[in-house]
Amino acid sequence: DTAVSQTPKYLVTQMGNDKSIKCEQNLGHDTMYWYKQDSKKFLKIMFSYNNKELIINETVPNRFSPKSPDKAHLNLHINSLELGDSAVYFCASSPRLNYGYTFGSGTRLTVV
Amino acid sequence: KNQVEQSPQSLIILEGKNCTLQCNYTVSPFSNLRWYKQDTGRGPVSLTIMTFSENTKSNGRYTATLDADTKQSSLHITASQLSDSASYICVVSAGGTASKLTFGTGTRLQVTL
């Protein structure tokens, strides 16, 4: 059983489109995150949610909008996709903020 | 500014050999340091986590050390296997109410026959 699952695994789309990435965790964790990993393999925090509430928003363009319908889910919607959005996006969860992360397998987004 | 630097950037070793990866950080106040292994196409998986008072911690063939005075950590891999080929990421957590993780850029390890 996958603890943190993301869908889709791969996403290829044209500039200007709107797309969503879904994330679900079955670990009972209170905190969930979205990270972006660029071509240099550097992981950078985008958002953090604790019990469905946004607690960290790291200067991400407002084209990115996270949504947490419940504490087991954190989805990422991206409007007006740009070439620079191409990256691997990782969802993660932890029992409390910044402790004991479990990462998903990532979603490779390619904007053409 | 909190930073985590790792070296070398990439490393190729023969199967069965040992290797050591380095991590230097300037995160303050320090809370804990973790090493993650990230296989190609997968998410990072935690190997070890060390707090201020811990000098060394092992997980199978992986041994992490921490020198909080010099703000350095190392990850030693013993008797490497082909499956050790991956990126190894050092992550340092700042303490306090503004708890935040700072990620290193990783060391790409390739184990060959």
Side-chain angles (χ1 to χ4, degrees):
Chain A
D1 291 335
T2 304
V4 179
S5 58
Q6 299 178 225
T7 55
K9 190 170 176 63
Y10 299 96
L11 182 56
V12 181
T13 187
Q14 290 184 328
M15 282 175 54
N17 284 351
D18 304 336
K19 291 293 179 184
S20 292
I21 308 172
K22 296 185 177 181
C23 179
E24 176 182 7
Q25 55 97 0
N26 62 6
L27 298 166
H29 288 169
D30 286 341
T31 311
M32 295 186 71
Y33 315 80
W34 277 108
Y35 278 82
K36 180 180 180 181
Q37 188 172 44
D38 60 25
S39 58
K40 295 183 178 180
K41 304 300 183 185
F42 183 67
L43 275 160
K44 187 174 181 181
I45 182 72
M46 298 176 68
F47 300 102
S48 175
Y49 268 71
N50 189 60
N51 279 319
K52 303 191 298 177
E53 290 190 18
L54 178 66
I55 52 175
I56 293 175
N57 179 345
E58 288 288 326
T59 60
V60 177
N62 56 16
R63 298 182 295 105
F64 291 79
S65 53
K67 286 187 171 52
S68 183
D70 55 62
K71 74 173 192 177
H73 295 82
L74 181 61
N75 303 323
L76 184 64
H77 187 76
I78 314 170
N79 289 327
S80 303
L81 279 156
E82 301 176 356
L83 293 177
D85 297 332
S86 296
V88 181
Y89 292 84
F90 285 98
C91 177
S93 71
S94 65
R96 61 180 190 269
L97 181 62
N98 288 335
Y99 189 86
Y101 273 48
T102 301
F103 282 87
S105 298
T107 294
R108 180 173 292 278
L109 171 65
T110 303
V111 182
V112 297
Chain B
K1 181 181 178 182
N2 291 338
Q3 284 188 317
V4 175
E5 295 183 351
Q6 293 186 239
S7 61
Q9 193 171 37
S10 60
L11 182 62
I12 302 174
I13 62 173
L14 293 175
E15 186 181 28
K17 297 296 185 182
N18 304 335
C19 67
T20 300
L21 314 180
Q22 300 290 344
C23 173
N24 297 337
Y25 63 92
T26 57
V27 175
S28 181
F30 176 84
S31 176
N32 59 72
L33 183 147
R34 310 152 202 211
W35 283 94
Y36 283 86
K37 178 186 179 188
Q38 184 176 16
D39 292 310
T40 299
R42 309 284 301 190
V45 175
S46 180
L47 294 175
T48 64
I49 179 169
M50 302 176 70
T51 58
F52 185 88
S53 59
E54 295 175 296
N55 299 114
T56 184
K57 184 168 280 189
S58 292
N59 178 359
R61 295 180 296 101
Y62 300 101
T63 299
T65 64
L66 174 65
D67 186 333
D69 291 330
T70 61
K71 298 186 177 181
Q72 295 180 326
S73 175
S74 65
L75 181 68
H76 187 75
I77 304 175
T78 305
S80 61
Q81 300 176 358
L82 295 178
S83 59
D84 293 331
S85 296
S87 289
Y88 292 84
I89 304 171
C90 177
V91 183
V92 183
S93 177
T97 55
S99 173
K100 188 173 180 178
L101 296 185
T102 302
F103 285 74
T105 52
T107 292
R108 176 69 195 170
L109 172 66
Q110 185 175 349
V111 181
T112 65
L113 292 172

